[in-house]
């Protein structure tokens, strides 16, 4: 299903041109217009899913394998030293386009820290409580 108001539906469907590095019946993989690093790509399903929680399970299972292939191709073609997968869900998490996508971000030794945080602290009691709370909601 497509969403007529969604820019990523239009890009994934080829209605809006994009720098496409891979396409099959389920996905289009494009280069991000505002790259975090050289070669930053976005994996877009051709059907519209707002986020990971809305994603079809079969599409989800194919997406991770495709991400591995794209990352491996980046290492070969761009000589990057690694790559990050980033997948934002919800405004609070930084999602700005509400069509599920996976960022594949090449990383270069000595390059800027792109995906990192200062580790916080938590007691083992707190961790146990949280695990219980989240587990009960599954
Ligand atoms: P989000 O913040 O939702 O996880 O990521 C959206 C990403 O889409 C951003 O990195 C942004 O640069 C990229 N983006 C937004 N609009 C377009 C577009 O029209 N074309 C391309 N290629 N990338 C886009
Ligand atoms: Zn869409």
């Amino acid at each position: 299903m497509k969403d007529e108001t969604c820019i990523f539906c239009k890009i994934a469907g080829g209605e809006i041109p994009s720098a496409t590095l891979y396409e099959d019946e389920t996905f289009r993989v494009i280069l991000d217009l505002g790259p975090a690093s050289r070669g930053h790509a976005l994996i877009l399903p051709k059907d519209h899913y707002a986020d990971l929680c809305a994603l079809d399970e079969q599409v989800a299972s194919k997406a991770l394998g495709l991400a591995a292939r794209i990352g491996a191709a980046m290492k070969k073609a761009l000589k990057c030293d690694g790559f990050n997968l980033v997948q934002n869900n919800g405004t609070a998490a930084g999602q700005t386009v509400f069509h599920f996508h996976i960022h594949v971000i090449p990383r270069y030794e000595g390059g800027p820290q792109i995906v990192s945080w200062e580790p916080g602290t938590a007691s083992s009691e707190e961790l146990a409580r949280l695990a219980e709370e989240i587990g009960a909601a599954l």
Side-chain angles (χ1 to χ4, degrees), residues 1-3 6-10 47-49 98-99:
M1 286 278 279
K2 317 284 180 226
D3 176 334
C6 171
I7 187 162
F8 278 7
C9 278
K10 293 193 174 99
D47 281 332
H48 182 86
Y49 309 98
F98 290 85
H99 175 123

Side-chain angles (χ1 to χ4, degrees), residues 7-8 11 30-34 42 88 94-97 101 103:
I7 187 162
F8 278 7
I11 292 174
I30 65 170
L31 291 181
D32 197 298
L33 265 187
L42 299 171
N88 300 326
Q95 186 176 10
T96 58
V97 180
H101 51 281
H103 297 258

Side-chain angles (χ1 to χ4, degrees), residues 19-83:
T20 295
L21 54 115
Y22 175 83
E23 184 181 4
D24 63 24
E25 62 191 10
T26 313
F27 298 101
R28 180 186 293 269
V29 184
I30 65 170
L31 291 181
D32 197 298
L33 265 187
S37 70
R38 194 170 75 93
H40 179 170
L42 299 171
I43 298 177
L44 312 180
K46 290 189 171 177
D47 281 332
H48 182 86
Y49 309 98
D51 60 17
L52 180 63
C53 298
L55 190 63
D56 175 87
E57 279 199 18
Q58 282 198 341
V59 177
S61 68
K62 286 185 192 166
L64 199 58
L66 179 56
R69 284 178 65 198
I70 301 296
M74 285 171 168
K75 285 167 84 172
K76 207 162 142 187
L78 305 176
K79 310 286 180 243
C80 61
D81 301 296
F83 60 93

Side-chain angles (χ1 to χ4, degrees), residues 114-130:
I114 293 169
V115 185
S116 64
W117 57 87
E118 283 296 322
T121 55
S123 67
S124 51
E125 291 78 16
E126 190 183 354
L127 294 179
R129 238 187 351 263
L130 280 170

